[in-house]
Structures are given as structure tokens and as C-alpha cells.
Amino acid sequence: MAIAVVDTNSGMSLASHSNSPSLNPDTAAAYNTEVVKQKQKAMAALKLTGETIQDILITLSNQIHLLKLNDNGTKFIYLVVNSRDTNLAIAREVLRNHASQLN
């Protein structure tokens, strides 16, 4: 349904596309950057040293939102898919392959 490559520090989309006129991936990217930053703060507060965020999964009634960070956490891919038409394991594997190329 939508995809964006996002700079984690600024929240700006580096590239985006949507098949749904009601879903703006650039706006969603900015808000989801805050999700990533808050999770990083929570990990620091819990002293989870040596741990890194691999991905974040948000499931809605009819959509799956995936945030996949690159290896150093400076960028992430934000993907929105229809939950009824998507195999989650395949979507995660595709994101894993592409996120490694974002460094």
C-alpha cells in the first residue's frame, strides 16, 4: 500500500510511494520516526546494552506497518501492507534484504 525510506535523525523521507490516496507515507514517516526514537530511549532506560532494534511491527485491523532499520540505525524502511493479502514472513525477509543496502 505504501513505502518510504526514512532518515532516522530528521524523520524526513528520502524516497516514498503510495498506492493509496488516503495514505501519505511522508507524513507517516515523520510520526514513525518518533516511534523508533522512543523505543531507543526505552532501551537506554532499561540498560539494554548490546541490543539493537531489528524491526518494529504494528498491526492494525486491516494493515500491517513494518519499520525495518538498517544495520547502524540511521535509516529505516517503512512499509504498509494489507494484512489479508500479505505473508508477514515474506514481507519481513524482503525488508531485511533491502535494509542492508541502506548503509
Side-chain angles (χ1 to χ4, degrees):
M1 296 176 65
I3 191 162
V5 176
V6 185
D7 177 80
T8 305
N9 293 323
S10 68
M12 299 296 295
S13 291
L14 304 173
S16 65
H17 177 76
S18 178
N19 290 338
S20 173
S22 64
L23 184 58
N24 183 329
D26 299 317
T27 301
Y31 284 105
N32 282 296
T33 299
E34 291 304 314
V35 172
V36 172
K37 288 180 179 181
Q38 291 301 316
K39 186 58 187 175
Q40 289 170 332
K41 286 180 184 178
M43 290 171 59
L46 295 170
K47 296 180 175 59
L48 298 177
T49 56
E51 293 288 340
T52 58
I53 299 171
Q54 297 297 305
D55 58 32
I56 297 172
L57 170 68
I58 301 168
T59 55
L60 305 179
S61 302
N62 298 305
Q63 299 174 4
I64 298 171
H65 294 228
L66 282 162
L67 290 75
K68 175 65 178 160
L69 281 77
N70 67 344
D71 293 335
N72 59 16
T74 58
K75 298 179 186 82
F76 66 90
I77 300 173
Y78 169 63
L79 176 68
V80 180
V81 294
N82 184 312
S83 60
R84 295 179 185 159
D85 300 335
T86 303
N87 180 310
L88 180 58
I90 293 173
R92 289 180 79 188
E93 182 59 29
V94 169
L95 285 181
R96 191 175 358 262
N97 288 334
H98 289 288
S100 66
Q101 299 173 15
L102 292 179
N103 297 324

